[in-house]
Amino acid sequence: MSFGGSQWPQEPRQPYQSYGEPPSSTPDWAALADASAARARRRRWLLIGAGGVATAAVAAIVATAVVFTNDAAPSGKNASDLPTAPELPNETAQPEPSFSTVTPPPPPNPKDFVSSAKKDTAPLSADTLFPGKKLTMGDRVYAKGPTARTTNCASATRASLGAALRSHGCDQVIRATYTKDGVAVTIGVAVFPTEAQAQAAVQQSARSIAPLSGSGVAAFCQGGPVCRFVGNSYGRYAYFTATGYVSGKSVTKGDSKAFQPGDDLAEFTFRQIVRRGEMQASAAATAPAG
């Protein structure tokens, strides 16, 4: 073909050559599978060989470390030449603690100090037994009236109580009167040399302490009205109450308005005697020996 008198050069054509049957467009799958299997076997053998080499190398390192440890210490000395751990001494130069085999005496019993005149040596008066100007028991407040102290024990009593106090060796009687809401209570404390004497006096008497009036408290329990008389003891102290209305009204059975003040005064007196023993026992426990 001519384009303006020039022509494109033509590539030489190669003649078709035949070698037996013409080539097929389908691949040889069996040959490809054999080649793939052969490559897999070669890769597996290579991995096994590499693993064996690595295992041998680790075994060689461990063997070297074992030989190194047994034959020589890191410092270049034999293991047997290194210092051993220090041994603790079997005995010490310090003296061993010693304990006394003597059992310490028991603490003093507070009741012992208020059960015998030989131990009960603390000051005793109306002010130590009945301090202050009033008495509070719970929500109840009692006004303190007259007080008295006498060594003539029978003069502070009525009926058979005087004879009982004398026969059992009464040393003194201390009295105090309290009032609240028209009720008056005289509390009397008789003091004896021993506990046994105080107990006997309470058991053998009518327990009639003489009511104490004055200092703003009108006479009560006189001229016929019924009053309540109660007695008890603790240690060498016997204590008695006489309770009545200042109006002259009689105290009846179950009269809580009159019973409560008498019970409160008896309870307070008991606590005061117990406290007296506790204070003396505490002082004895802390006193220097000798």
Side-chain angles (χ1 to χ4, degrees), residues 190-211:
V191 187
F192 297 83
T194 66
E195 179 180 17
Q197 290 169 296
Q199 291 176 343
V202 172
Q203 294 170 358
Q204 297 176 11
S205 71
R207 308 172 185 175
S208 299
I209 196 76

Side-chain angles (χ1 to χ4, degrees), residues 35-133:
S36 177
R39 288 194 299 271
R41 283 194 297 271
R42 286 195 299 272
R43 186 180 301 109
R44 186 163 55 253
W45 283 111
L46 289 174
L47 291 175
I48 292 174
V53 173
T55 302
V58 171
I61 293 172
V62 172
T64 303
V66 171
V67 172
F68 177 79
T69 302
N70 291 334
D71 291 345
S75 61
K77 298 181 180 181
N78 293 330
S80 60
D81 295 336
L82 294 177
T84 58
E87 295 183 358
L88 295 177
N90 293 329
E91 297 182 357
T92 177
Q94 298 295 329
E96 295 184 358
S98 60
F99 301 93
S100 174
T101 58
V102 179
T103 304
N109 185 354
K111 190 178 181 182
D112 291 344
F113 288 85
V114 292
S115 296
S116 172
K118 294 180 179 180
K119 285 189 173 183
D120 189 15
T121 58
L124 179 63
S125 67
D127 290 335
T128 60
L129 279 177
F130 310 108
K133 296 182 178 181

Side-chain angles (χ1 to χ4, degrees), residues 109-218:
N109 185 354
K111 190 178 181 182
D112 291 344
F113 288 85
V114 292
S115 296
S116 172
K118 294 180 179 180
K119 285 189 173 183
D120 189 15
T121 58
L124 179 63
S125 67
D127 290 335
T128 60
L129 279 177
F130 310 108
K133 296 182 178 181
K134 62 182 181 179
L135 170 64
T136 301
M137 296 287 287
D139 58 351
R140 301 172 296 279
V141 180
Y142 301 95
K144 181 180 175 182
T147 62
R149 175 183 177 273
T150 180
T151 56
N152 183 5
C153 296
S155 66
T157 67
R158 286 183 177 178
S160 63
L161 180 57
L165 297 187
R166 281 196 302 266
S167 63
H168 292 289
C170 175
D171 292 330
Q172 59 180 310
V173 174
I174 300 174
R175 290 181 293 167
T177 297
Y178 291 83
T179 60
K180 181 181 183 299
D181 299 334
V183 177
V185 180
T186 293
I187 177 75
V189 180
V191 187
F192 297 83
T194 66
E195 179 180 17
Q197 290 169 296
Q199 291 176 343
V202 172
Q203 294 170 358
Q204 297 176 11
S205 71
R207 308 172 185 175
S208 299
I209 196 76
L212 179 65
S213 58
S215 301
V217 179

